[in-house]
Amino acid sequence: MSLKKQYLKSKPICKVTFKLKASEANNAGTAKLVGDFNAWDIQAEPMKKLKNGDFTQTVNLPAEAEYQFRYLLDDESWENDWEADAYSPSPVSFDDNSVVRV
């Protein structure tokens, strides 16, 4: 898992690339990036699956903020990003959510 951040010079936006390795995804067939930035929409478009089984997705996020998120694997199980900037208790379960700060 990893987060790659690229700040745009022309506007207060950060392009964040989320990457979930196949082994961390327990060889899931699909993975969705779900969080504050898409209103926790579990119907969100799946992440792109690479030939090696990893998943990736790039999202433009307004800078100077933090966003909670998790990965939804095969529409069944949730996984955190263990390289996130921080973790925050979920308001709907006993789990923590991953946090990205931009």
Side-chain angles (χ1 to χ4, degrees):
M1 296 176 201
S2 67
L3 301 172
K4 181 181 170 190
K5 301 173 188 175
Q6 179 182 3
Y7 291 88
L8 302 183
K9 293 178 182 177
S10 59
K11 20 182 170 171
I13 297 288
C14 181
K15 292 179 85 144
V16 182
T17 300
F18 297 82
K19 188 169 185 180
L20 179 64
K21 294 182 182 168
S23 59
E24 297 161 334
N26 299 316
N27 296 311
T30 63
K32 294 179 182 177
L33 177 61
V34 183
D36 292 336
F37 39 78
N38 62 5
W40 292 90
D41 181 8
I42 60 172
Q43 301 301 319
E45 201 60 35
M47 298 173 75
K48 180 179 180 182
K49 189 170 186 178
L50 305 177
K51 288 181 182 179
N52 65 1
D54 293 354
F55 295 92
T56 186
Q57 185 170 353
T58 301
V59 180
N60 292 339
L61 298 175
E64 308 287 325
E66 67 177 37
Y67 305 89
Q68 294 186 32
F69 70 96
R70 295 188 85 189
Y71 301 107
L72 179 58
L73 308 178
D74 291 329
D75 290 321
E76 294 177 352
S77 61
W78 293 94
E79 184 66 46
N80 272 328
D81 190 317
W82 300 112
E83 293 181 22
D85 296 329
Y87 304 94
S88 180
S90 170
V92 296
S93 72
F94 293 109
D95 298 314
D96 283 342
N97 291 331
S98 302
V99 175
V100 59
R101 293 182 177 131
V102 295

